[in-house]
Amino acid sequence: MGTTQLESVPEPKYWHLKTVLSEALDRDFAVGEILPNERELAARFGVARATLRQALEQLELEGRLQRRRGVGTTVAPPRVGVAVGSTGHGWPGEAADGWEAVDAVEAVPAGAVLALLGTEAGRPVHTVRRTRVTQGQAVAAELLYVPAASVPGLSAIDAPAGPARARAVLRELQRLALDGQDRSVELGSARADDAKELDRLPGAPVLVVTTRYFTAEGTAAVSVATYRADTCRLTFGDTGMEITETRAAS
Amino acid sequence: MGTTQLESVPEPKYWHLKTVLSEALDRDFAVGEILPNERELAARFGVARATLRQALEQLELEGRLQRRRGVGTTVAPPRVGVAVGSTGHGWPGEAADGWEAVDAVEAVPAGAVLALLGTEAGRPVHTVRRTRVTQGQAVAAELLYVPAASVPGLSAIDAPAGPARARAVLRELQRLALDGQDRSVELGSARADDAKELDRLPGAPVLVVTTRYFTAEGTAAVSVATYRADTCRLTFGDTGMEITETRAAS
DNA sequence: CAGTGGTCTAGACCACGGA
DNA sequence: CCGTGGTCTAGACCACTGA
């Protein structure tokens, strides 16, 4: 087909398609509803499947759609607000904040984490894995790095592997006096292990929240939490107020 | 080089390719260096150009690469940390925080913003456009919505269009007593106008920071700031400390 | 102008989920 | 088993940049 006609400004097809689909979603579809499959949609709009997919990818990135292999494409609910900054500025694991300890091992982390911790290479570091569940949905996977030097009260193997050991590390952490913390957010893509926890494919877009916890002695712990970017809106409400309803800026 | 051989677990080609490229970037390339062009790289790795592009897209999303049409693909510098949460929790435009007022118009915003403002539809709202420049690079574009009712001291046309008018709105805002604020971060894609300000293509991934400013009377203003997700790391340091060096989690 | 990345096509096969 | 989305190919043309 002769692609387009006379477009003074040749807007890409997938971009226009995305707009059309977005309006159709608002107008004709309810949350959870299944869209026609990709081949069908592509035929209906007269484009190649790859082009249609480019539009769907954008909409998924914006949290409008959810696609699952073997199942289909559904209309996504509005993003859930996930509190990140409020909750008392305390140690991780202090309250019932939705985090669940999964496991803990003693390992030597990679260079980037080492730089954040400010410890020398080769020193043992407790690595705690936690997941966060909100409204029955896994929204985040975290790796919490605690240098063994930060929690001298914790003997090497005083708890068996698994959740119990993870909780032991968190418990020891809370005995320290928290001096302050430091947080940053950036875009990343899910590593294979995080993707599995989040029920996504590797490479899925995630919001990486890096937190450093300080005591008088220095950096006592570093947390790297990866949140599903498609379904989450991170909230930093100091006032604790909730944004009731919103939609990502196109 | 015939890339790889038989993989018992058929890891996607683009994923493996991304890993190989990522290691090559760390090892053999300096920041700012130009990579071979896409056709050349695809041939060298024995894959179709589309597959090679899928790997490059991931690396660009992670801030490792920068691609510009007509120019080429270069190795990106580490992401710049951009302070978002600290700086006194004050009104926008209070200090020399890198924001530059561009323009202001009186308009009636779309539904999502209206819901955030909590005002009735049809009421006039000052819409201020600002951009943020850090280290000579445009990192964010903002739309600040101020209901006319919030700044009664500002008569309709007491300043000509343009930056002067924008600054007038900001000045009026600072006469109010700020009661608190509320912030959220989510992933979005750049609208055409924002993309132009940020020197990116439409649809580029952005971090959307939505801030509500409260006075005793209610929501006095709402800011929607879109940050380039590829080059920015948003920092919320209450302590004002700086993360010196980091690399997104894979 | 030549060379780059951006868009688009029309196929093909594969991995996964559910019936 | 079938239907879904996920991956991959080998082309083509276009829009933009810089010399």
Side-chain angles (χ1 to χ4, degrees):
Chain A
M1 52 196 56
T3 55
T4 42
Q5 310 79 354
L6 19 141
E7 292 253 354
S8 57
V9 178
E11 187 182 47
K13 268 190 191 178
Y14 79 91
W15 186 258
H16 178 245
L17 198 53
K18 180 200 134 184
T19 309
V20 171
L21 284 170
S22 180
E23 288 164 358
L25 287 178
D26 289 334
R27 195 176 51 245
D28 304 328
F29 288 86
V31 168
E33 197 168 342
I34 303 181
L35 267 64
N37 71 55
E38 296 182 350
R39 290 160 181 86
E40 159 85 27
L41 281 176
R44 191 179 299 186
F45 287 101
V47 299
R49 192 178 153 219
T51 305
L52 186 270
R53 277 180 61 81
Q54 211 170 344
L56 293 185
E57 260 150 40
Q58 284 257 347
L59 290 169
E60 192 180 28
L61 200 79
E62 293 172 17
R64 305 286 311 268
L65 293 179
Q66 206 157 341
R67 299 193 286 173
R68 276 186 303 164
R69 168 151 52 177
V71 179
T73 302
T74 57
V75 180
R79 286 192 173 131
V80 284
V82 184
V84 172
S86 51
T87 57
H89 283 237
W91 289 108
E94 271 193 347
D97 52 1
W99 286 103
E100 186 181 345
V102 174
D103 200 356
V105 296
E106 206 164 291
V108 177
V113 172
L114 266 188
L116 286 171
L117 283 170
T119 58
E120 312 90 61
R123 303 299 293 274
V125 173
H126 297 290
T127 303
V128 179
R129 194 172 245 306
R130 297 195 300 168
T131 61
R132 185 171 182 174
V133 177
T134 301
Q135 298 170 24
Q137 186 192 219
V139 293
E142 180 202 43
L143 284 176
L144 178 67
Y145 301 95
V146 184
S150 293
V151 284
L154 190 73
S155 71
I157 326 173
D158 67 347
R165 181 171 178 78
R167 285 191 290 269
V169 175
L170 293 172
R171 215 156 40 227
E172 280 304 307
L173 211 51
Q174 282 155 37
R175 301 163 64 96
L176 305 178
L178 180 60
D179 224 44
Q181 60 189 47
D182 199 50
R183 195 170 267 127
S184 81
V185 178
E186 63 187 313
L187 180 60
S189 51
R191 293 193 318 268
D193 54 343
D194 290 330
K196 194 169 182 182
E197 301 268 9
L198 300 177
D199 190 30
R200 300 253 60 200
L201 291 171
V206 291
L207 297 171
V208 181
V209 181
T210 306
T211 310
R212 293 193 295 178
Y213 297 91
F214 303 111
T215 62
E217 278 74 39
T219 306
V222 164
S223 153
V224 179
T226 69
Y227 288 80
R228 285 185 59 155
D230 55 343
T231 57
C232 293
R233 194 183 67 246
L234 307 183
T235 64
F236 293 83
D238 295 336
T239 65
M241 298 192 65
E242 278 292 308
I243 293 180
T244 52
E245 182 208 357
T246 185
R247 171 65 68 193
S250 180
Chain B
M1 49 199 61
T3 57
T4 43
Q5 312 78 357
L6 19 140
E7 293 255 355
S8 58
V9 178
E11 188 181 44
K13 268 190 191 176
Y14 78 91
W15 186 259
H16 179 245
L17 199 52
K18 180 199 135 187
T19 309
V20 171
L21 284 170
S22 179
E23 288 164 359
L25 287 179
D26 290 333
R27 195 175 51 245
D28 304 328
F29 288 87
V31 167
E33 198 168 342
I34 303 181
L35 268 63
N37 70 55
E38 297 182 349
R39 291 159 180 88
E40 159 85 26
L41 281 175
R44 189 179 301 187
F45 287 101
V47 298
R49 194 178 151 217
T51 305
L52 186 270
R53 277 180 62 81
Q54 210 170 343
L56 293 185
E57 262 150 38
Q58 284 258 345
L59 290 169
E60 192 179 29
L61 201 79
E62 293 172 18
R64 305 286 311 268
L65 293 178
Q66 204 158 342
R67 300 193 286 173
R68 276 186 303 163
R69 169 153 49 177
V71 179
T73 302
T74 56
V75 180
R79 286 191 173 134
V80 283
V82 184
V84 172
S86 50
T87 59
H89 284 236
W91 289 108
E94 270 192 349
D97 51 2
W99 286 103
E100 186 181 345
V102 173
D103 200 357
V105 297
E106 207 165 290
V108 177
V113 173
L114 266 187
L116 285 172
L117 283 170
T119 59
E120 312 89 63
R123 304 297 294 273
V125 173
H126 297 289
T127 303
V128 179
R129 193 172 246 307
R130 296 195 301 168
T131 61
R132 185 171 182 174
V133 177
T134 302
Q135 299 171 23
Q137 186 192 219
V139 293
E142 180 202 43
L143 285 176
L144 179 68
Y145 301 95
V146 184
S150 293
V151 285
L154 189 74
S155 72
I157 327 175
D158 66 347
R165 182 171 175 76
R167 284 191 290 269
V169 176
L170 292 171
R171 217 158 38 228
E172 280 303 309
L173 209 50
Q174 282 155 37
R175 301 163 64 95
L176 305 177
L178 180 60
D179 226 43
Q181 60 190 47
D182 199 49
R183 194 170 268 126
S184 80
V185 177
E186 63 186 314
L187 180 60
S189 50
R191 294 191 320 267
D193 54 344
D194 290 330
K196 194 169 183 182
E197 301 269 8
L198 300 177
D199 189 30
R200 299 254 61 200
L201 291 171
V206 291
L207 296 171
V208 181
V209 180
T210 307
T211 311
R212 294 192 295 178
Y213 297 90
F214 303 112
T215 62
E217 278 76 38
T219 306
V222 164
S223 154
V224 179
T226 68
Y227 288 79
R228 285 185 59 155
D230 55 344
T231 58
C232 293
R233 193 183 68 246
L234 308 183
T235 64
F236 293 83
D238 295 335
T239 65
M241 299 191 66
E242 278 291 308
I243 293 180
T244 53
E245 182 209 356
T246 185
R247 172 64 70 194
S250 178

